[in-house]
Amino acid sequence: METTLLRRRAAAKFADPGDWLFTDEGLQQATAQPVAAHRARRLSGAVVHDATCSIGTELAALRNSSAALVGSDVDPVRLAMARHNVADVDLCRADALRPVTASAVVLLDPARRSAGRRRFDPRDYTPGLDALLDVFRGRDIVVKCAPGIDFDAVAQLGFTGEIEVTSSAGSVREACLWSAGLAAPGVTRRASMLDAGEEITDAEPDDCIVARAGRWIVDPDGAVVRAGLVRHYATRHGLWQLDPDIAYLSGDSLPTGLRGFEVLEELAYSERRLRQALSGRDVGAAEILVRGVDVDPDALRHRLRLRGSQQLSVVITRLGTGAASRATAFICRPSR
């Protein structure tokens, strides 16, 4: 029964999980198929050792693109499942902190949960990120981490390569550490947006301006925001920032393929003003986006008590700093 239920849940991550074996925790930690395939493309042609292979999801993505591939795990149950799931890959039981390969690129996916609870300090991963970086110092390594990992904490552990933040299916999926030997020259941060088929790095220009809202407002992909590449993204697409500390961007034209919000009205934010403006436009349903302002979109939507027939979007944000700071609301028409 558990296997059947886990296979049903796995359909959210994999195209065809019908024959796979899972543990509950192994499935939670498993990389979604599009993300694993993306990583496999970056490692195409390399000799790879997945030293925390668990139930084999990364191995399944790597087996057709790697020059050679081996997997290992310390957990005998997960390793037995991997032997079933990826029967054509060589596997062995080994502790990730006791290397069994000498020159392969080492892929590591330390556990970030304990008793169902997330661990936020990378030193509390299993194995700890500090221990992994120490053991594999000087080796080419790829380490899968939680998307919210503290970049400064990673640097304090001595990591000097590239941090890639990847989004898929509308949400940020993970951060991944690529050692310096695997990173592109001059790149320390990368945002990979699999839905859009787009990547951007901190090696690109970031000389966008800060100005008032134009015709369109754009909310960048979460991977761009998390990777700290909002200005780079704006420069690439001919946009500008509404505020130097807020991720919303604006432009007079909407770049091809991006979802945007066409500005219909701008007003100093208060619930009363916003309710009156939306009522005047016969709005009955509103998508509410918020950055930099302590507003709960769901609670606000309930309090607005909208009764009209139209559907619009509201972007609420803080503009300016210090005494000049003000909460501003933009009533918009979404592009899609």
Side-chain angles (χ1 to χ4, degrees):
M1 183 182 295
E2 182 178 8
T3 296
T4 299
L5 293 173
L6 290 174
R7 284 173 175 171
R8 289 177 181 175
R9 282 171 45 196
K13 289 189 172 185
F14 309 105
D16 184 17
D19 295 328
W20 275 57
L21 297 177
F22 301 95
T23 66
D24 181 67
E25 195 170 84
L27 177 57
Q28 290 183 49
Q29 189 174 345
T31 306
Q33 193 169 5
V35 181
H38 166 72
R39 185 163 24 250
R41 287 190 291 271
R42 287 196 65 175
L43 290 170
S44 180
V47 176
V48 182
H49 171 204
D50 184 349
T52 51
C53 72
S54 186
I55 56 176
T57 54
E58 297 278 356
L59 296 173
L62 287 161
R63 57 186 168 187
N64 294 324
S65 60
S66 303
L69 180 63
V70 63
S72 63
D73 201 280
V74 73
D75 186 324
V77 173
R78 295 189 188 187
L79 196 62
M81 290 182 171
R83 287 196 176 97
H84 169 86
N85 296 336
V86 285
D88 54 342
V89 177
D90 290 329
L91 301 172
C92 65
R93 188 180 181 195
D95 187 332
L97 295 177
R98 297 174 180 270
V100 295
T101 57
S103 59
V105 175
V106 181
L107 174 59
L108 299 156
D109 184 4
R112 295 173 294 283
R113 289 178 179 269
S114 178
R117 301 180 63 181
R118 293 186 183 276
R119 298 174 178 180
F120 296 99
D121 187 336
R123 293 170 298 184
D124 292 335
Y125 290 176
T126 306
L129 183 57
D130 53 343
L132 290 173
L133 293 177
D134 185 57
V135 167
F136 292 99
R137 199 168 305 281
R139 295 277 300 270
D140 285 339
I141 61 171
V142 182
V143 188
K144 177 184 169 184
C145 300
I149 192 169
D150 186 331
F151 294 171
D152 290 336
V154 173
Q156 290 170 8
L157 294 178
F159 180 77
T160 58
E162 171 196 315
I163 301 178
E164 177 186 28
V165 182
T166 303
S167 66
S168 176
S171 63
V172 179
R173 296 291 181 165
E174 67 175 37
C176 186
L177 311 184
W178 296 80
S179 60
L182 299 172
V187 174
T188 62
R189 281 172 289 127
R190 180 189 305 267
S192 297
M193 297 153 276
L194 303 188
D195 296 344
E198 182 179 10
E199 294 186 6
I200 191 163
T201 75
D202 60 347
E204 299 184 34
D206 67 344
D207 52 349
C208 76
I209 64 171
V210 178
R212 293 181 60 87
R215 179 182 175 186
W216 294 93
I217 290 176
V218 173
D219 186 14
D221 187 281
V224 173
V225 178
R226 182 69 192 94
L229 300 174
V230 172
R231 291 178 58 83
H232 305 75
Y233 185 83
T235 303
R236 173 186 285 187
H237 290 289
L239 304 171
W240 61 81
Q241 288 184 289
L242 295 176
D243 183 278
D245 298 318
I246 299 294
Y248 288 133
L249 302 175
S250 188
D252 290 325
S253 60
L254 184 63
T256 303
L258 295 187
R259 183 176 188 243
F261 303 89
E262 186 177 15
V263 177
L264 304 176
E265 183 177 348
E266 175 181 345
L267 62 149
Y269 171 70
S270 76
E271 286 192 23
R272 180 180 59 81
R273 291 193 193 97
L274 181 59
R275 183 184 301 110
Q276 290 174 345
L278 293 175
S279 178
R281 293 178 177 274
D282 192 34
V283 175
E287 172 189 20
I288 301 176
L289 295 84
V290 176
R291 286 191 188 279
V293 180
D294 186 16
V295 173
D296 182 330
D298 292 331
L300 173 60
R301 188 181 299 106
H302 177 73
R303 292 195 300 270
L304 288 174
R305 300 189 299 276
L306 302 175
R307 297 289 185 269
S309 60
Q310 302 300 310
Q311 182 170 348
L312 293 176
S313 298
V314 178
V315 177
I316 305 173
T317 188
R318 177 191 54 75
L319 300 179
T321 57
S325 176
R326 65 193 189 281
T328 302
F330 299 90
I331 299 175
C332 306
R333 179 183 295 111
S335 61
R336 63 173 187 269

